[in-house]
Amino acid sequence: MDSTLLIIAIAFAALVAGVLVFLFLKQRRELKAAQAATPATGDAGTRQLQLQAYERLILLTDRIALPNLIQRLNQQGLEARDMQGLLTQAIRQEFEHNITQQIYVSAESWEAVRNYKEQNLLIINQVASFLPPEATGVDLNKHLLDLLVQNPKASLQNVVSEVLSFEAKKLM
C-alpha cells in the first residue's frame, strides 16, 4: 500500500470525523437549550417505543463498529475484495434491519447513525482501494484496525452512541 495514499485516506477520514464531531456537539448544545425551554411530551407507550428505538440504534452502532465487524466476520482464505464485500454487506444489512427505528428518534439522531454507517463504508472502501490486487482479507482487516489504532478519532462510534444516549436520557 502506498504510504502517501494511506496518509491521505487517514487525513480525509479524520477530517470527516472532526466535522461530524463538531456538528454533533453543536446539536447537543442546541438540544440542551431546547430541552430547558420545553417540557417532555408524549404518552408512556410512545416514550417506551422511543426508548427501545434508541436502545436498538446504540446496539446497531456497536454491531457495525469496524473492530466488532472484523472480529465477527473474519474468515481465513478470503481475498481482500471478498472481505470488503462481506464487511460492507454486513453493515448495510444491519442498517436495513433497523431502518424503521428512524420514525421513533429525532432527525439528528437518525442522521448521526446514517453518517456513521456511511463513514464506515467509506473507510472500508478507501483502505481496500489502496491494497494491491493480491492482498488477502487478513491484510484488509489488519490495515483497517491499524487505521483505527493510529487515529482513534477516525471512528464516530463513541460520538454517535453518546448522542443517542443523551437523547434517550431526555425521554426518561
Side-chain angles (χ1 to χ4, degrees), residues 54-149:
Y54 283 110
E55 181 181 324
R56 285 188 60 156
L57 292 178
I58 289 171
L59 180 61
L60 170 67
T61 62
D62 186 62
R63 288 188 57 82
I64 67 172
L66 294 179
N68 297 343
L69 271 176
I70 290 169
Q71 181 180 16
R72 197 168 63 247
L73 301 175
N74 192 25
Q75 296 178 12
Q76 296 296 324
L78 289 181
E79 294 180 8
R81 301 296 176 226
D82 295 332
M83 180 56 73
Q84 175 188 7
L86 191 61
L87 293 170
T88 57
Q89 179 185 18
I91 290 172
R92 287 186 178 106
Q93 285 176 343
E94 290 284 347
F95 183 79
E96 289 168 7
H97 182 73
N98 289 285
I99 201 161
T100 59
Q101 301 309 308
Q102 67 183 305
I103 64 175
Y104 299 109
V105 299
S106 71
E108 293 82 12
S109 290
W110 182 250
E111 189 67 17
V113 171
R114 196 182 63 70
N115 286 338
Y116 178 54
K117 174 201 70 142
E118 293 298 326
Q119 182 211 30
N120 283 354
L121 292 173
L122 177 70
I123 289 172
I124 292 167
N125 291 330
Q126 281 188 336
V127 169
S129 72
F130 294 121
L131 293 176
E134 67 276 358
T136 66
V138 172
D139 295 333
L140 174 61
N141 292 343
K142 181 183 179 305
H143 282 90
L144 287 169
L145 293 173
D146 286 347
L147 171 70
L148 295 174
V149 167

Side-chain angles (χ1 to χ4, degrees), residues 1-12 126 129-131:
M1 176 184 286
D2 183 35
S3 61
T4 305
L5 294 176
L6 181 59
I7 290 171
I8 292 170
I10 292 170
F12 180 74
Q126 281 188 336
S129 72
F130 294 121
L131 293 176

